Amino acid sequence: MFRTALRNVLAHKARLLMTVLAVMLGVAFVSGTLVFTNTISNAFQNSSAKGFDQVDVAVQAKYQDSDRDTVGKTPELTQAMLDTSAKVPGAASATGVVNGFTAIADKKGKLIGGGFQSEGGNYWGDKDSRYPLKSGAAPHGSGEVAIDSETAKRAGYKVGDTVRISVDGPVLTPRITGIFTTDDGNVAAGGSLALFDTATAQKLFGKAGTYDEIDVKAAAGTSQAALKSALDSALPKGQTETTTAKQLADDQAEMIASSMSGLKSGLLVFAGIALFVGTFIIANTFTMLVAQRTKELALLRAVGASRRQVTRSVLLEAFVVGAIAAVAGLVAGIGIGAGLRALMGTIGATVPDGPLVITPNTVLSALAVGILITMLAAWLPGRRAAKIPPVAAMSSVHATATAKSLVLRNTLGALFSGAGIAVVIAATSMSGSDGQAPMGIGAVLLIIGVFILTPLLSRPLIAAAAPVLRIFGISGKLARQNSVRNPRRTAATASALMIGLTLITGMTVMAGSLQQAIDKMASSAISADYIVSMANGNQLSPDVDKTLTTTSGVTETSPLRNAPSRINGETEFLTGVNGSAIGKLTDLKVDSGTFKVAGTQVVVDDDTAKSHGWKAGSTFTTHYEDGKAQQLTVSAVYEGNALIRGIMLDNATLAPHQTDPADMQILVKTADGASSSTKDKLEKALGSNPAVKVQDKKDLSDSIAQVFTLILNMVYGLLAMAVIVAVLGVINTLAMSVFERSQEIGMLRAIGLDRKGIKRMVRLESLVISLFGGVLGIGLGVFFGWAAGELIGSKMATYELVIPWARMALFLLLAGTVGVLAALWPARRAAKLNMLSAIKSE
């Protein structure tokens, strides 16, 4: 039986090619994902581990828990603690570390590193072993800075140049005194690092005389554990915590692995979709191969082969095909992993140097996935073939499905679909997070149900295309009849395309609806012309608001300032605003009371008010971060949203209780309104600072929408793999169909249908099947997009469903294009058949 199976594989090489390609693409996606994520993780872990070469034990401040009425805080690491750390037994040296956000502009004034990876710190003494100088000297004083060599190379800076930097808003222009090398992971990932002398760094980052961390190096012969123990004994109890460099490296490695796991999981989901779509092709291929060999299998049964042996024969064929596809997919996946890593560099996301990582798990996963998926998909056709009685198979009385099996299939499909729709609709009435799991379960049930019902649905939907197909004469009529001749095969082929288009359409509906919701939110909640913030979301210096207030043309400003407090034993963040201007800068819907922010009068969003049982006129006591308490009165309850929410009080009331006030955003209203000239004026007033964003309402909504657009484009790209696999499925089905109908095609040629007519018939058949899958996919996608939107709408008042008709027409056109392209080779093959040879074929 093994020799028979092997002979069958070798005898049907061309027929199995599409199956091999489908499995190979899915396996390549899986193995490529694993190679890429393992390589990136390994590179970052090795790079971060180098960063701990100059430290054996790190000392950090320990967060002090709060009681009912006290805001928790982190104590400061003082100079005295640094001196104590340097003198403990077994310590060779101790370094005080200061760090914070520091944006560096290139020579064109643009931000280097994208903001989120722009760091600053202190250069320790005249020679800092952590950052070896490549050229120049250590920085001294507020007018000097050292930058990393990668940033200097990218921006074209050299020692002696003046550079524009910003820590919290205002522009600084120090001179570059040194360029250093570093193994810092942020720099390796495309970020920047600027170093000042310690006193300057402490002043810039608001940590005068204190440190963020103390790094202690062990003397020769002292272990990290012994040094940690000595530091624990010497430093103030309960105020500090110590961690060995080994533990820091392990924690960092775990954090990197955790951050990569999300990317890995996401990519593997799309790989799974491609493989799921591939199973339709595999099952289709083996169903047709088995059907073509029915007499052969019956003969094997007649000469003594058992049902199990017949099934095993088919599974052995699947094993050989799966093994070939898995090996090819693994090789292709390694190439994909290397290519993705190289692509990271071309889009500016630099990755530390390191080898391509191909783990045994990657190899085993690729082989297991390829072989198991193929064998699983081939099992049902093999089992079905083994059940056919030998005499019936030899007489070709075997192909038609019984009425009982069709009734059972349709009943099962209706039950799954009905249950899926019911669960999805029930989930839409739940709150956001509670409804996610039920909606996912309902979606799976509905997709399974529609897949089971697809043979039943194919007849009426394809029949609907009959009026159009009549235009093409006999070719159109034959194409329609061929499309519904084998409903199960048509269903499996169309379902492969349906899955991809369901996901693409659902994501598009959600993205378009969210975009409109954000636009509405920005226009309805904010009356200000501009919103000013840091590029990376960090806090702004209060000096920025002072500068804007004195800028000509600016009529009103209000900083939004966050401050922790304790209310009723819970931590609540207060939002400090300019009480006299906030009403003119926002357009919030007031549910009750009069919108007034002054003195001890505050306004509260509806969710916060509900959680505390407040209403207009309610009073409550807040405990500020300086420990003082004050009674506040709710003047109004407003409808909060994703842009503005929380407890708003006047900055004049809040400021006396803050030691280091900083603003998250500043709302600005101008006399001339939003315009390009006004925006230029504001940016120039702030020193043309690349670290500060000046956005109007459209800019704000566009910047949020960019995230959705990026994600959507990534999804389109990843789902393209599933669509490619679906195309292979259509080609495979048509090729097999042409082979099966060789005699019929020969007869059609003999009675007068020319080659063009044959080609047209095959193309129209492919087009109809593809459009059938497209209609199902788009319909399901719109339904899932609406359902998911209902969950989002429970948390976003401005959300409403937007149907992207133009995009959906484009998707339907894409489905049609898939059908036309997929039919090119099968149609050409059908037209080239020799009519006499075809008529004589069995």
Side-chain angles (χ1 to χ4, degrees), residues 416-441:
F416 269 97
S417 299
I421 292 171
V423 173
V424 168
I425 291 175
T428 60
S429 62
M430 302 178 185
S431 64
S433 55
D434 294 336
Q436 289 176 4
M439 184 165 290
I441 294 168

Side-chain angles (χ1 to χ4, degrees), residues 304-637:
S306 66
R307 286 185 176 183
R308 285 186 178 179
Q309 285 178 309
V310 170
T311 304
R312 280 203 297 266
S313 172
V314 176
L315 289 177
L316 276 170
E317 290 180 51
F319 175 81
V320 174
V321 172
I324 294 169
V327 172
L330 175 61
V331 174
I334 293 170
I336 289 172
L340 285 173
R341 177 178 171 171
L343 181 65
M344 295 280 283
T346 62
I347 62 175
T350 310
V351 177
D353 292 332
L356 200 66
V357 178
I358 305 165
T359 65
N361 283 341
T362 299
V363 176
L364 290 174
S365 297
L367 294 175
V369 165
I371 293 169
L372 288 175
I373 289 290
T374 310
M375 291 183 70
L376 248 152
W379 175 77
L380 192 60
R383 185 170 174 271
R384 193 182 297 136
K387 279 188 171 183
I388 301 171
V391 176
M394 286 181 183
S395 306
S396 297
V397 187
H398 61 277
T400 57
T402 64
K404 181 181 177 183
S405 71
L406 291 174
V407 170
L408 180 64
R409 179 177 182 133
N410 294 337
T411 303
L412 197 63
L415 289 173
F416 269 97
S417 299
I421 292 171
V423 173
V424 168
I425 291 175
T428 60
S429 62
M430 302 178 185
S431 64
S433 55
D434 294 336
Q436 289 176 4
M439 184 165 290
I441 294 168
V444 171
L445 289 173
L446 179 54
I447 288 175
I448 292 171
V450 170
F451 170 64
I452 295 172
L453 285 174
T454 307
L456 178 67
L457 297 172
S458 64
R459 290 186 179 277
L461 286 177
I462 291 175
V468 178
L469 291 174
R470 286 197 194 101
I471 299 170
F472 299 96
I474 190 65
S475 295
K477 183 178 180 180
L478 289 170
R480 183 182 64 80
Q481 290 174 347
N482 289 334
S483 300
V484 295
R485 177 185 292 186
N486 191 331
R488 288 183 176 177
R489 184 190 301 171
T490 298
T493 306
S495 295
L497 193 59
M498 177 191 78
I499 299 295
L501 284 178
T502 295
L503 295 168
I504 289 173
T505 305
M507 291 294 293
T508 304
V509 169
M510 286 173 59
S513 302
L514 278 169
Q515 173 65 65
Q516 180 169 293
I518 291 163
D519 289 344
K520 280 187 175 181
M521 189 187 299
S523 60
S524 63
I526 299 174
S527 299
D529 296 317
Y530 294 98
I531 301 96
V532 179
S533 61
M534 290 292 282
N536 69 333
N538 270 18
Q539 295 179 329
L540 285 159
S541 166
D543 292 339
V544 175
D545 181 50
K546 293 175 184 176
T547 301
L548 290 169
T549 303
T550 57
T551 301
S552 64
V554 173
T555 56
E556 302 286 353
T557 68
S558 176
L560 302 181
R561 183 175 298 172
N562 281 356
S565 71
R566 297 286 286 181
I567 300 172
N568 297 330
E570 298 178 6
T571 298
E572 288 279 4
F573 278 86
L574 306 174
T575 302
V577 297
N578 181 348
S580 61
I582 192 64
K584 303 170 188 175
L585 296 166
T586 58
D587 189 18
L588 299 168
K589 182 182 176 183
V590 177
D591 292 340
S592 61
T594 303
F595 195 95
K596 183 179 181 182
V597 182
T600 59
Q601 291 186 301
V602 301
V603 294
V604 183
D605 73 284
D606 46 3
D607 287 341
T608 304
K610 184 179 178 181
S611 66
H612 288 284
W614 297 336
K615 56 185 179 180
S618 296
T619 60
F620 62 92
T621 301
T622 184
H623 297 264
Y624 298 107
E625 56 186 307
D626 64 354
K628 294 182 180 178
Q630 187 173 36
Q631 190 177 68
L632 302 176
T633 302
V634 178
S635 65
V637 175

Side-chain angles (χ1 to χ4, degrees), residues 238-271:
Q239 294 185 36
T240 60
E241 54 185 353
T242 56
T243 313
T244 63
K246 182 180 182 307
Q247 185 62 50
L248 286 172
D250 291 345
D251 291 346
Q252 185 81 351
E254 187 178 338
M255 185 180 74
I256 291 169
S258 176
S259 65
M260 293 301 295
S261 68
L263 174 64
K264 183 185 290 186
S265 299
L267 291 173
L268 287 176
V269 164
F270 289 100

Side-chain angles (χ1 to χ4, degrees), residues 2 7 52 291 317 348 395 406 636 646 655-656 658 704 743 842:
F2 176 76
R7 180 182 61 79
F52 300 117
E317 290 180 51
S395 306
L406 291 174
Q658 291 185 290
I704 299 172
Q743 192 175 57
E842 293 188 9

